[in-house]
């Protein structure tokens, strides 16, 4: 029996679809009835409604121990996809609670219930820090606590520490670190904002660079790793490293939208995040641009995918193909 946390999110829902297509016996947790609309809509989009009904849904929360007691009955394998994603400094406490404490709870149950293997979904944000002479980020990079990191990155790194603790206590673990994940436009947050903004003729771009990956590559690799003998490893999942300008222009081409024409310079975002902070304090609104985010969109780090390609002999789908499929599915 397989347990999936975060099954109502982007990765979790696509993972459920992939596992269901492969006749896995699945338990998935959800927090309220309304959140089930998203994965159900995904199954409908791919004409797999009959498979959705085969998933055993249990109302539970990774922060609620009694509900996890029920969810972990007869579980052999766990895919931990649940997490809080936010780059607003106001969410620091919630990020720590969900991402670190929630992961600790999952790890503890896996150990207590003798789960055979745990796959934890982390992020490239939790990878180590480059030294001054380095430009390529690998899984072997060491985390430098003296370097600036977003609260989200810190809590995802903290979650990984809980997973490694589980390994030290005898649990078989795998950690994946996906880049920016592109999937169905059923989700209007996270990477889905790229599509929404381009559709609304967003005029700005930067030349910063990061790694991107399609959600179906992510879930296929998760399943392959769980079925393999590989354990005690982490893998960066990135199909391509592209500049924000390149990715935005690809999106504009596929969506037949106007391409952005105004480059945002570092000095502009330096002013922007400070103004955003002032506005958030005065108006008590959520932050839209933090200092860390402002730096990230100008970063030129390259994320290596050599380790996963060599481990599984895996070939990623190109981002151009991923975006083409997403746009065609949502027209």
């Amino acid at each position: 029996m397989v347990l999936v946390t975060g099954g109502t999110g982007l990765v979790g829902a696509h993972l459920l679809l992939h596992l269901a297509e492969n006749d896995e016996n699945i338990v998935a947790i959800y927090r309220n009835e309304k959140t089930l609309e998203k994965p159900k809509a995904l199954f409908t989009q791919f004409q797999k409604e009959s498979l959705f009904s085969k998933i055993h849904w249990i109302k539970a929360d990774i922060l609620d121990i009694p509900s996890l007691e029920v969810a972990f009955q007869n579980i052999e394998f766990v895919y931990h996809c649940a997490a809080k994603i936010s780059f607003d400094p106001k969410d620091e406490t919630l990020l720590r609670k969900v991402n670190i404490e929630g992961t600790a709870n999952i790890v503890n149950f896996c150990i207590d219930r003798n789960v055979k293997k745990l796959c934890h979904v982390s992020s490239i944000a939790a990878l180590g820090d480059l030294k001054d002479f380095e430009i390529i980020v690998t899984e072997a990079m060491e985390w430098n606590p003296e370097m600036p990191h977003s609260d989200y990155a810190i809590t995802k790194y903290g979650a990984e520490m809980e997973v490694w603790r589980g390994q030290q206590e005898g649990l078989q673990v795998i950690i994946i670190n996906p880049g920016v994940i592109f999937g169905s436009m059923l989700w209007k947050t996270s990477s889905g904002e790229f599509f929404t903004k381009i559709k609304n003729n967003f005029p700005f771009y930067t030349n910063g660079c990061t790694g991107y990956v399609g959600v179906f590559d992510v879930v296929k690799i998760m399943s392959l790793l769980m079925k393999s003998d590989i354990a005690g490893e982490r893998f960066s999942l990135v199909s391509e490293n592209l500049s924000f300008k390149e990715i935005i222009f690809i999106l504009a081409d596929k969506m037949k939208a106007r391409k952005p024409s105004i480059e945002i310079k570092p000095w502009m975002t330096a002013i922007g995040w400070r103004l955003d902070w002032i506005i958030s304090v005065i108006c008590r609104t959520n932050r839209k641009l933090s200092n860390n985010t402002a730096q990230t969109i100008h970063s030129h780090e390259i994320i290596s995918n050599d380790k996963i390609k060599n481990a599984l002999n895996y070939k990623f789908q190109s981002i151009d193909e991923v975006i083409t499929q997403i746009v065609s599915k949502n027209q």
Side-chain angles (χ1 to χ4, degrees), residues 39-303:
K40 189 172 184 179
L42 177 70
F43 276 67
T44 299
Q45 185 183 56
F46 285 87
Q47 300 179 335
K48 302 289 184 177
E49 296 95 331
S50 60
L51 294 179
F52 185 80
S53 62
K54 294 182 179 180
I55 299 171
H56 181 41
W57 288 94
I58 294 177
K59 190 173 184 179
D61 191 309
I62 62 173
L63 297 175
D64 182 58
I65 301 301
S67 67
L68 290 178
E69 291 275 0
V70 178
F72 266 85
Q73 296 293 325
N74 302 315
I75 297 300
E76 297 178 289
F77 299 93
V78 175
Y79 292 90
H80 181 38
C81 308
K84 171 69 177 176
I85 302 175
S86 174
F87 296 95
D88 188 337
K90 293 178 182 177
D91 289 332
E92 179 186 1
T93 300
L94 184 58
L95 282 165
R96 287 182 178 277
K97 193 163 186 66
V98 173
N99 294 347
I100 300 178
E101 182 182 327
T103 299
N105 289 340
I106 295 300
V107 169
N108 291 340
F109 268 96
C110 285
I111 295 169
D112 183 65
R113 300 300 173 87
N114 295 313
V115 166
K116 293 179 180 178
K117 201 171 187 179
L118 165 67
C119 178
H120 171 66
V121 181
S122 186
S123 166
I124 56 170
L127 293 173
D129 298 288
L130 291 170
K131 295 181 173 62
D132 292 339
F133 57 88
E134 296 173 326
I135 59 171
I136 299 177
V137 179
T138 71
E139 297 86 345
M141 295 288 184
E142 292 185 3
W143 177 274
N144 184 353
E146 301 300 320
M147 295 288 287
H149 301 97
S150 68
D151 292 325
Y152 172 70
I154 292 169
T155 59
K156 292 301 284 184
Y157 175 75
E160 289 192 15
M161 292 304 99
E162 292 295 335
V163 175
W164 294 131
R165 171 182 63 80
Q167 182 194 30
Q168 291 174 347
E169 295 184 39
L171 178 64
Q172 295 273 290
V173 303
I174 283 290
I175 294 176
I176 62 162
N177 299 79
V180 178
I181 303 172
F182 281 150
S184 170
M185 285 178 63
L186 295 170
W187 286 262
K188 300 301 182 183
T189 59
S190 190
S191 60
E193 291 183 358
F194 278 93
F195 293 85
T196 304
K197 287 182 177 180
I198 294 303
K199 187 176 181 179
N200 294 331
N201 296 316
F202 188 69
F204 306 107
Y205 68 88
T206 73
N207 280 306
C209 178
T210 193
Y212 298 86
V213 64
V215 69
F216 280 114
D217 277 329
V218 173
V219 301
K220 287 174 186 176
I221 289 172
M222 290 170 70
S223 179
L224 289 170
L225 287 171
M226 287 289 269
K227 292 177 179 178
S228 74
D229 294 329
I230 299 170
E233 300 285 352
R234 72 201 295 228
F235 295 93
S236 300
L237 306 190
V238 168
S239 169
E240 297 176 66
N241 290 276
L242 299 168
S243 70
F244 290 105
K245 178 181 179 179
E246 289 174 316
I247 201 73
I248 288 172
F249 277 35
I250 292 173
L251 285 166
D253 280 338
K254 302 300 180 184
M255 300 176 72
K256 295 181 171 49
R258 188 168 64 233
K259 293 180 180 178
S261 58
I262 304 172
E263 180 184 354
I264 303 175
K265 303 290 186 179
W267 66 266
M268 296 178 182
T269 49
I271 294 173
W273 77 258
R274 289 175 171 84
L275 289 174
D276 182 65
W277 176 80
I278 293 171
I279 292 170
S280 71
V281 171
I282 294 174
C283 302
R284 297 185 178 182
T285 56
N286 292 331
R287 294 287 300 277
K288 296 180 175 63
L289 180 67
S290 68
N291 181 18
N292 188 269
T293 301
Q295 294 180 37
T296 299
I297 61 176
H298 295 290
S299 170
H300 287 85
E301 294 181 349
I302 303 297
I303 314 296

Side-chain angles (χ1 to χ4, degrees), residues 13-56:
H14 282 81
L15 176 62
L16 289 175
L17 177 61
H18 178 74
L19 295 176
E21 287 175 331
N22 286 276
D23 297 320
E24 295 278 5
N25 217 347
I26 310 165
V27 173
I29 63 175
Y30 71 101
R31 286 185 295 170
N32 59 70
E33 295 289 342
K34 187 172 178 59
T35 61
L36 291 176
E37 295 174 3
K38 295 177 181 178
K40 189 172 184 179
L42 177 70
F43 276 67
T44 299
Q45 185 183 56
F46 285 87
Q47 300 179 335
K48 302 289 184 177
E49 296 95 331
S50 60
L51 294 179
F52 185 80
S53 62
K54 294 182 179 180
I55 299 171
H56 181 41

